[in-house]
Amino acid sequence: MSLRTLPLLFINLGGEMLYILDQRLQAQNIPIDKAKKVMNDIITTMFNKTFMEELLKPQKVYSNKALRTVFERLAHSSIMRLNHASMDKLYDLMIMACKYQVLLCPRPRDLLLVSFNHLDAVKNFVKDVPGIFNQVEETQRLLIEMYVPLSAGDFQLIRQTLLLFFQDLHIRVSLFLKDKVQNSNGRFALPITGPVPFGTEVPGLIRIFGPKGKEVKRIQFPAVGSYSSAVREGSFDVFGDRVTVLGTNMYSVSRPIETHLSAKSKGSAKHAKKNAAPNPLAKEELNLLSRLMGQLDVQSPADPGFRFRVNLFTTDEEEEEAFLSRPENLSYEVINICAIQDQQANNELTRIMGEFQAEAEPSRTPSSKGEELLAMMDGL
């Protein structure tokens, strides 16, 4: 497992979230000034300098539930509000879009180009706000400094870690189904046509070398797919042609997007519910998550009446039905870590830590671990 995976996962999921929210804000005819405020506030919070510094530290990838907590906090960092069913649908769309992009990457290093496509789009959202634009660009420079020098093996390990994260997630998305890139069981249908990865040759030729390393024979064979050579390599600079379209905005106001759980996912949910067991890493994940979320600078509007709700479904009835029919283990029930320091929050955290006493480390008492987590939350 790569300890450099989380930043790329966060950037790509965050980019997809912004695409979806931008589409829904336009589809629901939200006034332009409010829509811009939502996008600007979320991007400002997402690319906060202190938050990004914490995110870029080497660390393991969080679970789906933990990441959903972070993105729910991000989505609500402005005047927009999503209810539980809409947030579930938003996260499902984010997850499946990123999974599709990872599967289609011609080579592991192109994962960085996908991230840069997301960042380029984010910069376009805030091109008229220099302060926020510079925040995003600074993050891009940090990613270049961190990832461009990595070897092909390092990127392969990042790709494997991402695939492990997306494993067993087979949520059907209407957009993918209509484009025939996803099957009815929620699995993606990968193409066998198109350009090959940069630096490789079109399949169809076998070269045989002799004992002295010289080529002695060539055998041609018909390739199953229709492939072409890569035109050029995408740019890994702050500005440039990324070549690939993976990571660009695939949504539009005229194309509503629906999500449905495949039969396999529903079965997996029931099985997981029956076999639910305490996660021995849950305590450590709480520590990491609380430290990461402690860097989120979430501002509440002075006038609560200025807030509005965005629905990711066609109607409120459809939204309610989706909430009631969703399997429990896929509803991302998570611990709400609030940015308010009060006795109630401290009592809740103490209760949470008490649940993990059985998994306490021999060298550290449960109370000391609970106190450590509470201390981390003091900065919230």
Side-chain angles (χ1 to χ4, degrees):
M1 179 179 290
S2 173
L3 300 180
R4 297 185 178 96
T5 306
L6 185 59
L8 294 184
L9 180 61
F10 177 82
I11 292 295
N12 290 323
L13 286 174
E16 290 301 319
M17 180 181 75
L18 292 170
Y19 292 160
I20 298 164
L21 292 179
D22 178 62
Q23 188 261 350
R24 294 312 300 162
L25 289 168
Q26 294 182 54
Q28 293 184 212
N29 297 317
I30 301 299
I32 295 178
D33 59 333
K34 286 189 176 183
K36 283 187 175 181
K37 177 172 175 55
V38 168
M39 298 297 286
N40 290 346
D41 287 350
I42 292 176
I43 295 171
T44 299
T45 305
M46 182 177 171
F47 292 94
N48 175 276
K49 182 179 179 182
T50 308
F51 176 67
M52 292 307 304
E53 288 175 352
E54 190 68 36
L55 185 73
L56 289 169
K57 292 178 181 178
Q59 55 193 300
K60 292 182 179 179
V61 174
Y62 297 156
S63 67
N64 260 302
K65 289 186 177 181
L67 270 177
R68 186 195 181 280
T69 302
V70 175
F71 282 106
E72 182 171 15
R73 182 81 172 275
L74 278 172
H76 293 153
S77 62
S78 186
I79 58 176
M80 178 193 68
R81 291 295 175 264
L82 300 170
N83 72 14
H84 198 89
S86 283
M87 188 64 216
D88 281 343
K89 180 176 179 179
L90 172 63
Y91 191 71
D92 287 344
L93 290 170
M94 292 158 53
I95 285 289
M96 295 309 291
C98 287
K99 179 178 181 178
Y100 181 63
Q101 292 159 10
V102 172
L103 289 173
L104 256 65
C105 267
R107 55 178 185 164
R109 183 174 291 275
D110 291 340
L111 290 168
L112 192 55
L113 294 176
V114 175
S115 303
F116 285 174
N117 271 336
H118 281 117
L119 288 172
D120 291 343
V122 173
K123 287 192 293 185
N124 190 56
F125 283 136
V126 294
K127 60 185 177 182
D128 298 326
V129 190
I132 309 177
F133 183 93
N134 291 336
Q135 276 184 254
V136 181
E137 190 170 289
E138 178 59 27
T139 298
Q140 194 164 9
R141 294 185 188 279
L142 291 174
L143 291 179
I144 291 173
E145 181 180 331
M146 180 177 180
Y147 287 99
V148 169
L150 297 184
S151 66
D154 291 328
F155 276 106
Q156 176 62 19
L157 190 57
I158 290 173
R159 181 178 183 274
Q160 289 176 347
T161 306
L162 286 170
L163 291 175
L164 196 63
F165 176 83
F166 293 122
Q167 184 173 297
D168 297 329
L169 293 173
H170 308 294
I171 300 165
R172 291 177 294 171
V173 178
S174 62
L175 189 67
F176 292 139
L177 292 170
K178 290 174 183 176
D179 290 343
K180 301 188 184 302
V181 298
Q182 190 179 31
N183 298 323
S184 58
N185 61 1
R187 296 182 180 275
F188 288 112
L190 302 183
I192 55 172
T193 59
V196 297
F198 180 80
T200 62
E201 297 181 8
V202 175
L205 179 65
I206 299 174
R207 292 185 177 89
I208 300 175
F209 294 85
K212 296 183 180 180
K214 291 185 177 181
E215 183 179 330
V216 296
K217 189 177 181 181
R218 290 190 177 191
I219 301 176
Q220 291 186 334
F221 65 93
V224 176
S226 176
Y227 299 98
S228 59
S229 300
V231 179
R232 60 187 179 281
E233 186 176 26
S235 171
F236 291 94
D237 295 327
V238 176
F239 299 98
D241 183 4
R242 313 301 177 191
V243 178
T244 180
V245 298
L246 296 175
T248 56
N249 195 345
M250 64 180 180
Y251 304 101
S252 66
V253 178
S254 59
R255 293 186 79 180
I257 307 102
E258 301 299 333
T259 58
H260 307 279
L261 294 174
S262 66
K264 181 179 176 68
S265 293
K266 291 179 180 178
S268 299
K270 294 178 181 178
H271 178 76
K273 186 177 179 181
K274 291 180 181 179
N275 295 279
N279 181 0
L281 298 177
K283 184 192 305 182
E284 186 63 24
E285 187 171 79
L286 272 174
N287 288 336
L288 292 170
L289 183 60
S290 64
R291 187 173 71 245
L292 179 63
M293 292 184 66
Q295 310 304 327
L296 283 177
D297 183 17
V298 179
Q299 302 293 334
S300 296
D303 180 12
F306 194 58
R307 295 174 178 172
F308 63 91
R309 185 171 72 90
V310 168
N311 189 348
L312 267 76
F313 295 82
T314 307
T315 63
D316 289 343
E317 290 76 14
E318 186 180 337
E319 186 177 43
E320 180 66 19
E321 182 183 352
F323 173 72
L324 295 175
S325 62
R326 190 175 182 86
E328 184 177 335
N329 115 298
L330 291 180
S331 63
Y332 306 114
E333 289 291 345
V334 295
I335 300 162
N336 290 321
I337 302 177
C338 300
I340 302 173
Q341 183 181 352
D342 56 18
Q343 188 60 39
Q344 183 179 358
N346 288 346
N347 291 341
E348 177 65 10
L349 286 169
T350 302
R351 181 190 66 76
I352 293 167
M353 293 311 301
E355 295 177 359
F356 300 113
Q357 287 185 7
E359 289 82 31
E361 298 163 333
S363 60
R364 308 179 72 176
T365 64
S367 60
S368 66
K369 287 293 289 182
E371 290 169 2
E372 177 185 324
L373 182 58
L374 290 176
M376 289 180 180
M377 297 300 296
D378 283 343
L380 291 178

